Amino acid sequence: MIKVKKAICTFLCMLLLCGSVSLFAFAEESDCSLTLVYRGDGNSFEGLEISIYRVGDRSDTEGFALAEGYDYPINVSGITTQDEWRNAATTLYSYIVADGKAPTATQTTNSNGEAVFENLQEGLYLVLTVQAQTDSTVYTFENVFVSLPSADSDGNSIKDVVAQPKSGSQAVEPQERQLKVVKQWQDNGNADKRPDSVTVELYKDGALQSTQTLSSQNNWSYSWTDVDDGGVWTAVERDVPESYSVTVGGDGAVITVTNTYVSPTPPPATGDTYNLWLYILLALFSGCGMIIFAVYKGRATA
């Protein structure tokens, strides 16, 4: 019976070890908070509806990868400049509003112009653009990515993050303006991979206004006139060519839709590709076998 007890103890230890591994592997932190500030020219904008989307998971090698449900041909890994982050945010915003994605959370700004989100899971969040208006001015707060947790200037992790999206302003009086969407290619010597044409959808404040085909026949561009009332225009490219990623950028009057050639991913290296739970199951079966063997042997020698 001593051998049986030893076998049982060994099996219990294995269970605890497996439980610990699975706990660390699959537990999700949900104790972050995000405070977004909406102020400008001495005004605190109360009553704005602010939506945030958890769009990215942390990657061990490249910072972030798009989360489940956001499988768009958009690159959010290896980004190093503010312009790249800004364009990635604009691109993802375009697809989110076009596809009517539901936000992770929504809050309304208080009298201090602050929207407070609590009990958030770690990851990369996209804050959508929003507008506020006074008697004479329209303020547009841009899309912005926020990482939870973030880091301070000393590199310390911060789980309670405060951010103020960048804003621009313009007079309320609307005027007509010319707008343009332009297709750009970054082929890296692979121009033969381009399609003959691409289709882009043009949205104003999230509502579809027009669908256009861009090709060499129209110089990969399309122009139109609109009232400059502070509305946010963006573009969505459908059916992005194979082996290309897409980025939407521009200065408001000109929207650039850039396709960048992505080198094919090399096949994974040979080796052990079993997942963690297979090892856990094998350990459990091994433990059961140890107990059965020990009990049988104990009876045989009794």
Side-chain angles (χ1 to χ4, degrees), residues 223-297:
S223 299
W224 71 101
T225 301
D226 182 53
V227 175
D228 189 7
D229 54 2
V232 178
W233 281 87
T234 189
V236 168
E237 180 181 357
R238 296 300 185 184
D239 301 322
V240 174
E242 186 177 357
S243 300
Y244 283 88
S245 64
V246 62
T247 302
V248 178
D251 59 4
V254 178
I255 303 171
T256 58
V257 181
T258 303
N259 282 148
T260 301
Y261 182 77
V262 180
S263 299
T265 304
T270 58
D272 189 0
T273 58
Y274 292 105
N275 64 45
L276 176 63
W277 281 108
L278 180 58
Y279 286 111
I280 292 175
L281 291 173
L282 288 174
L284 292 176
F285 284 123
S286 297
C288 291
M290 290 172 59
I291 289 179
I292 294 172
F293 176 76
V295 171
Y296 175 79
K297 189 174 182 180

Side-chain angles (χ1 to χ4, degrees), residues 92-125:
L92 197 50
Y93 160 79
S94 302
Y95 282 90
I96 285 175
V97 297
D99 293 343
K101 292 283 188 181
T104 301
T106 300
Q107 291 290 348
T108 302
T109 54
N110 57 27
S111 59
N112 294 321
E114 298 177 352
V116 182
F117 299 84
E118 298 179 330
N119 299 319
L120 296 177
Q121 182 183 340
E122 293 184 359
L124 181 67
Y125 286 80

Side-chain angles (χ1 to χ4, degrees), residues 64 84 128 133 182 256:
F64 289 100
E84 289 176 328
L128 292 200
Q133 184 173 330
V182 178
T256 58

